[in-house]
């Protein structure tokens, strides 16, 4: 079964707000995590990744935080835009396979 | 979609028929994967291949078969033994199978509907 999950299936925000999408994982041996964005009818796209020896990693408008103590991963999107509307998946590398969570649907209203 | 193509985008099949989904990549990646995605669900691994002429079962391989005769190609056959084949199928590839920075690039997907 899946060891990665997200706390909320949906998240609605206003344009310009900051968004926080959460993910919990159960495999303490996982050492690599990825966030993917999937737009409707398309394949997932890589957003940002983080290794277990890091607590935080920043990209363009996105930040991933990793709390290994409570096995929690979050994706922060600054100044959310309508184009950010999509399903967001976290994934953990467990051995040789990526395990995906169920996804959070982010809806951004103008 | 990172140099990975899947065809067709939409596929319809009658019950009892086998159907093959195409996946091609020009990224020179060694590893390739097939996932199944159902509404409201995450991706579930069907099969993966680390190298040409080698492939391994994923979590839900029953009713599916694959081949890896060429590095660029990893076709998936959905057989009549698959009891609930209607789903969105995603192909992915990565430079290597294991290790950090093992970013998987995904194709655009094929939506299979069984009539």
């Amino acid at each position: 079964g899946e060891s990665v999950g997200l706390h909320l299936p949906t998240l609605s925000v206003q344009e310009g707000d900051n968004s926080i999408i959460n993910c919990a994982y159960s495999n303490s041996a996982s050492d690599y995590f990825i966030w993917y964005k999937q737009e409707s009818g398309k394949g997932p796209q890589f957003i940002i990744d983080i290794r277990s020896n890091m607590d935080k990693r920043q990209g363009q408008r996105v930040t991933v935080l990793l709390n290994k103590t409570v096995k929690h991963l979050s994706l922060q999107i600054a100044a959310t835009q309508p184009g950010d509307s999509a399903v967001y998946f976290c994934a953990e590398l467990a051995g040789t396979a990526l395990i995906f969570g169920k996804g959070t649907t982010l809806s951004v209203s103008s | 979609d990172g140099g990975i193509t899947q065809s067709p985008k939409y596929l319809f099949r009658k019950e009892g028929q086998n159907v093959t989904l195409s996946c091609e990549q020009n990224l020179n990646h060694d590893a390739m994967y097939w996932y199944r995605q159902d509404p409201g669900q995450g991706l579930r691994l069907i099969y993966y291949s680390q190298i040409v002429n080698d492939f391994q079962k994923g979590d839900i391989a029953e009713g599916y078969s694959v081949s890896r005769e060429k590095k660029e190609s990893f076709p998936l056959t959905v057989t009549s033994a698959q009891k609930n084949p209607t789903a969105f199928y995603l192909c992915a590839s990565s430079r290597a199978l294991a290790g950090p920075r093992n970013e998987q690039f995904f194709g655009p997907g094929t939506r299979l509907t069984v009539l």
Side-chain angles (χ1 to χ4, degrees):
Chain A
E2 293 181 352
S3 66
V4 179
L6 293 170
H7 294 302
L8 292 174
T10 60
L11 177 65
S12 297
V13 301
Q14 292 285 326
E15 182 178 1
D17 287 350
N18 296 332
S19 301
I20 300 176
I21 300 172
N22 296 307
C23 176
Y25 65 95
S26 60
N27 190 342
S28 57
S30 294
D31 59 0
Y32 180 58
F33 304 87
I34 304 175
W35 279 101
Y36 284 94
K37 172 185 179 183
Q38 186 178 25
E39 297 177 336
S40 180
K42 297 183 179 179
Q45 289 181 297
F46 173 92
I47 301 174
I48 192 168
D49 60 357
I50 188 168
R51 297 176 69 164
S52 59
N53 61 355
M54 302 172 68
D55 297 323
K56 179 180 179 179
R57 189 153 189 253
Q58 287 185 294
Q60 192 171 22
R61 281 201 309 119
V62 295
T63 300
V64 56
L65 298 176
L66 177 62
N67 185 331
K68 294 179 288 295
T69 302
V70 295
K71 290 184 281 189
H72 183 269
L73 192 69
S74 68
L75 176 71
Q76 300 178 359
I77 305 173
T80 312
Q81 303 168 359
D84 294 327
S85 294
V87 179
Y88 291 81
F89 294 94
C90 64
E92 64 174 317
L93 184 63
T96 57
L98 277 177
I99 300 175
F100 290 83
K102 293 185 177 181
T104 289
T105 300
L106 176 65
S107 299
V108 183
S109 53
S110 302
Chain B
D1 295 308
I4 300 179
T5 58
Q6 290 184 243
S7 61
K9 188 171 178 62
Y10 298 96
L11 187 59
F12 297 87
R13 181 196 104 174
K14 293 182 179 179
E15 280 192 32
Q17 290 180 336
N18 293 354
V19 63
T20 298
L21 281 60
S22 169
C23 178
E24 303 278 332
Q25 54 99 0
N26 62 2
L27 301 168
N28 200 33
H29 285 169
D30 283 319
M32 296 187 74
Y33 314 79
W34 273 105
Y35 293 92
R36 171 185 170 131
Q37 186 176 31
D38 294 285
Q41 300 294 317
L43 280 63
R44 292 185 290 168
L45 183 63
I46 305 173
Y47 268 97
Y48 63 98
S49 168
Q50 185 174 0
I51 199 167
V52 174
N53 292 323
D54 179 72
F55 48 84
Q56 304 295 329
K57 292 182 178 180
D59 299 323
I60 55 166
E62 186 176 353
Y64 300 97
S65 65
V66 293
S67 63
R68 188 85 187 277
E69 297 177 1
K70 298 187 298 181
K71 187 175 185 177
E72 311 80 46
S73 179
F74 191 41
L76 173 74
T77 297
V78 184
T79 75
S80 56
Q82 169 50 236
K83 298 305 179 188
N84 186 22
T86 295
F88 190 50
Y89 290 88
L90 286 159
C91 178
S93 71
S94 61
R95 190 163 44 87
L97 184 62
R101 314 297 298 180
N102 183 28
E103 178 186 346
Q104 292 186 18
F105 293 86
F106 285 85
T110 291
R111 186 166 297 280
L112 173 64
T113 302
V114 174
L115 304 173

